[in-house]
Amino acid sequence: MSEAMWGGRFTKTVDEMVNEFQASINFDKRMYHEDIAGSIAHAIMLSKCGIISEDDCGAILAGLKDIEGQIEAGEFDFSVDLEDIHMNIEKRLTEAIGEAGGRLHTARSRNDQVALDTHMYVRRETVAVLREILNLQAALVETAKANQDVIMPGYTHLQRAQPILFAHHLLAYFGMLSRDFARFEGVYQRADIMPLGAGALAGTTFPIDRELVARQLNFQQIYGNSLDAVSDRDYIMEFLSAASILMVHLSRLSEETILWCSREFSFVELDDAHCTGSSMMPQKKNPDVSELVRGKTGRVVGHLMAMLATVKGLPLAYNKDLQEDKEGIFDAIDTVKFSLGVYAQLIRGMKVKKEVMRRAVAEDFSNATDLADYLVKKGMPFRQAHAVSGTAVHTCLEKGCYLQDMSLEEYKKLSELFEEDIYEAISPETCVANRNSLGGTSYAQAARQLAAAEELLAAENKLQEELAQKQI
């Protein structure tokens, strides 16, 4: 007979290569806290339902807490032969307290046990991701607030388009992160459903109390279908989807940061602590953090694709394929938390080159729309005004100057509607100030957006703290 804890019907031990191949302990051991917390709740429920004795329950709880202490002290030797975190802990528990340890697994399967652990782990790590999103949002608000009067070129097609406030640009990323926060809040809700009590797939013959376990572990909901409980990985796919979108946002910010700190743009300078040099070229200051975040985005997106492909053809209920859910989400969690944390530091540490940005908007044609708007406000149809403005740009290109360098006489040749006030109308400050429509880039609108961002941050912080307090 096999010596494995499930080996009663087997006459041979598992081949060593197969054992190594199917074991998950090397990565699922990070869920030891969730596994022990779930087992404690399960043991208490078994005792209260009269399924195990109070004495056995007491021995189990003491043994599990002792094992948790050993793991946290680095004194626990994990065994590949025991496959996973569940069997490693149960084996050590049985060795420590005897028969009582063998009663812990009554009325549960590793199928609903691993589902419980993963739900709890994803739930807890989602709260940690929310905290890191808040930290980066706060960094964006702080930097925007400190640079409220900085004007920069706004781009479409990576061509200078219209003058905007640097604060307005940063707050666009705040908006993206706010949607990320809401998505992860949704992930939390889908992870906050308790599967324990589903057994292997069909429930159990024992008179268990699933509501009691849910209350102990602070779950808001309980799966109503045992097949769904052990096979559902939607919350993992949702986490990876939300993580992928978040990383895409960080990748876009990375691309802009890389451009901004290049000599060609020179809009910002990154702190030395967030850059590296070249082993060959002494002058180099490389934006490695931004490049790595941009690169790691593909890794997280890959984990989402892998999980979708893994689940797409699985029949109900549990299949060993589902073990593949762990490594991808563990890596995605680590990557997202690191990327958010390091980016908050980068944003807080970068130096904004106000004069370089101001010079950039003075030496381009991003005020051409404002020249057209000037004529429209004096009664000219927009399409005609657009053509006049385009002609003015063409004239400047031929002369090697900019719109503010044209004389009033030259403007008059294009339209008698031009007056001396055209120069004020096309100054970068006026161009920005006049874009005062809701959500626009004006000084007043940027101030309004900052106030709204701070208000939202306070609400998000409150929610994150409430969720954090619910974790076991």
Side-chain angles (χ1 to χ4, degrees):
M1 184 178 75
S2 169
E3 294 182 0
M5 297 180 78
W6 41 259
R9 63 96 68 212
F10 287 78
T11 58
K12 291 183 179 180
T13 58
V14 175
D15 181 89
E16 184 176 345
M17 183 180 291
V18 173
N19 207 35
E20 290 278 352
F21 183 65
Q22 62 98 41
S24 61
I25 187 59
N26 289 330
F27 50 86
D28 70 13
K29 61 186 178 184
R30 67 162 69 191
M31 297 195 300
Y32 74 88
H33 176 76
E34 285 72 25
D35 197 72
I36 289 171
S39 289
I40 287 173
H42 184 65
I44 291 172
M45 180 274 292
L46 291 176
S47 175
K48 289 188 178 294
C49 291
I51 299 170
I52 65 172
S53 69
E54 290 185 9
D55 288 344
D56 281 349
C57 180
I60 289 169
L61 300 190
L64 288 171
K65 290 173 183 175
D66 184 56
I67 290 170
E68 185 165 33
Q70 293 173 35
I71 295 173
E72 291 176 346
E75 299 169 354
F76 191 99
D77 292 325
F78 295 100
S79 169
V80 172
D81 289 337
L82 293 171
E83 301 179 20
D84 54 35
I85 186 63
H86 328 296
M87 301 300 270
N88 269 264
I89 289 175
E90 185 178 334
K91 176 73 169 175
R92 179 65 62 86
L93 179 67
T94 303
E95 290 173 349
I97 68 172
E99 272 192 10
R103 295 193 172 96
L104 173 60
H105 209 56
T106 306
R108 76 174 180 185
S109 162
R110 275 193 297 175
N111 293 358
D112 61 345
Q113 186 180 1
V114 68
L116 174 69
D117 291 1
T118 311
H119 273 272
M120 292 178 67
Y121 186 82
V122 170
R123 191 175 63 171
R124 176 162 60 88
E125 290 298 332
T126 297
V127 174
V129 169
L130 291 175
R131 183 174 61 247
E132 294 298 338
I133 292 174
L134 286 168
N135 185 31
L136 179 51
Q137 284 183 298
L140 289 168
V141 168
E142 291 163 19
T143 306
K145 207 167 186 178
N147 295 278
Q148 288 187 69
D149 62 339
V150 176
I151 300 175
M152 69 176 292
Y155 295 82
T156 64
H157 307 278
L158 205 55
Q159 304 294 312
R160 292 182 186 176
Q162 293 177 341
I164 62 171
L165 290 177
F166 180 63
H168 186 69
H169 198 120
L170 292 183
L171 290 173
Y173 284 101
F174 180 94
M176 296 181 204
L177 289 168
S178 296
R179 295 191 294 275
D180 292 322
F181 188 97
R183 272 185 282 271
F184 276 102
E185 183 187 349
V187 171
Y188 184 93
Q189 292 172 8
R190 253 74 72 194
D192 199 21
I193 311 173
M194 197 201 68
L196 199 65
L201 76 161
T204 176
T205 60
F206 291 93
I208 61 172
D209 185 346
R210 297 184 70 200
E211 288 81 4
L212 174 59
V213 178
R215 287 195 298 273
Q216 290 183 82
L217 299 176
N218 288 339
F219 277 99
Q220 293 302 302
Q221 300 178 65
I222 300 172
Y223 278 95
N225 182 287
S226 59
L227 286 169
D228 187 32
V230 296
S231 62
D232 176 27
R233 295 298 184 274
D234 288 0
Y235 63 102
I236 292 179
M237 290 185 285
E238 279 195 71
F239 185 101
L240 293 171
S241 176
S244 295
I245 296 171
L246 169 59
M247 289 299 294
V248 166
H249 292 157
L250 294 185
S251 186
R252 296 180 73 180
L253 178 56
S254 293
E255 178 66 15
E256 295 202 300
T257 303
I258 292 163
L259 289 172
W260 290 347
C261 70
S262 69
R263 292 284 292 177
E264 285 71 20
F265 280 71
S266 198
F267 287 173
V268 303
E269 181 177 354
L270 302 183
D271 192 280
D272 285 358
H274 304 131
C275 298
T276 65
S278 165
S279 62
M280 182 180 185
M281 298 165 283
Q283 83 282 7
K284 294 294 294 300
K285 184 174 179 180
N286 300 325
D288 282 13
V289 167
S290 296
E291 291 172 351
L292 278 170
V293 169
R294 186 177 60 183
K296 288 178 184 292
T297 297
R299 184 164 153 180
V300 174
V301 172
H303 291 317
L304 171 60
M305 294 302 104
M307 191 64 207
L308 291 170
T310 296
V311 175
K312 74 173 183 64
L314 294 185
L316 297 178
Y318 183 81
N319 298 272
K320 192 69 169 181
D321 313 50
L322 291 175
Q323 182 171 292
E324 290 298 305
D325 65 356
K326 312 275 183 319
E327 289 177 280
I329 195 164
F330 291 164
D331 183 68
I333 287 168
D334 294 343
T335 301
V336 166
K337 287 165 61 179
F338 174 83
S339 298
L340 287 166
V342 76
Y343 239 103
Q345 293 181 17
L346 183 146
I347 293 295
R348 288 189 170 104
M350 76 180 180
K351 176 185 176 183
V352 178
K353 296 183 177 181
K354 175 179 179 178
E355 294 307 317
V356 175
M357 291 189 187
R358 175 62 177 78
R359 188 164 59 249
V361 294
E363 297 176 354
D364 65 15
F365 295 98
S366 60
N367 52 359
T369 304
D370 298 85
L371 190 149
D373 288 348
Y374 171 90
L375 293 172
V376 170
K377 290 171 183 176
K378 289 183 176 278
M380 184 180 290
F382 178 76
R383 283 301 168 202
Q384 184 181 343
H386 186 284
V388 171
S389 182
T391 302
V393 170
H394 180 74
T395 300
C396 288
L397 289 171
E398 287 188 328
K399 293 180 61 179
C401 66
Y402 298 102
L403 291 174
Q404 58 267 36
D405 301 321
M406 285 180 60
S407 67
L408 183 58
E409 182 180 355
E410 289 173 307
Y411 273 120
K412 288 280 191 184
K413 289 179 181 178
L414 297 176
S415 172
E416 285 298 325
L417 294 176
F418 284 114
E419 302 292 344
E420 191 68 38
D421 60 351
I422 182 58
Y423 298 105
E424 173 63 23
I426 61 174
S427 73
E429 288 75 14
T430 303
C431 294
V432 168
N434 283 346
R435 283 180 165 75
N436 200 36
S437 56
L438 183 63
T441 193
S442 73
Y443 301 100
Q445 288 297 319
R448 178 175 179 169
Q449 290 167 40
L450 273 169
E454 290 178 323
E455 185 177 340
L456 180 59
L457 262 179
E460 289 176 342
N461 266 301
K462 183 179 178 182
L463 174 61
Q464 194 275 339
E465 289 170 2
E466 290 173 352
L467 295 178
Q469 290 171 3
K470 293 180 179 181
Q471 304 317 297
I472 303 300

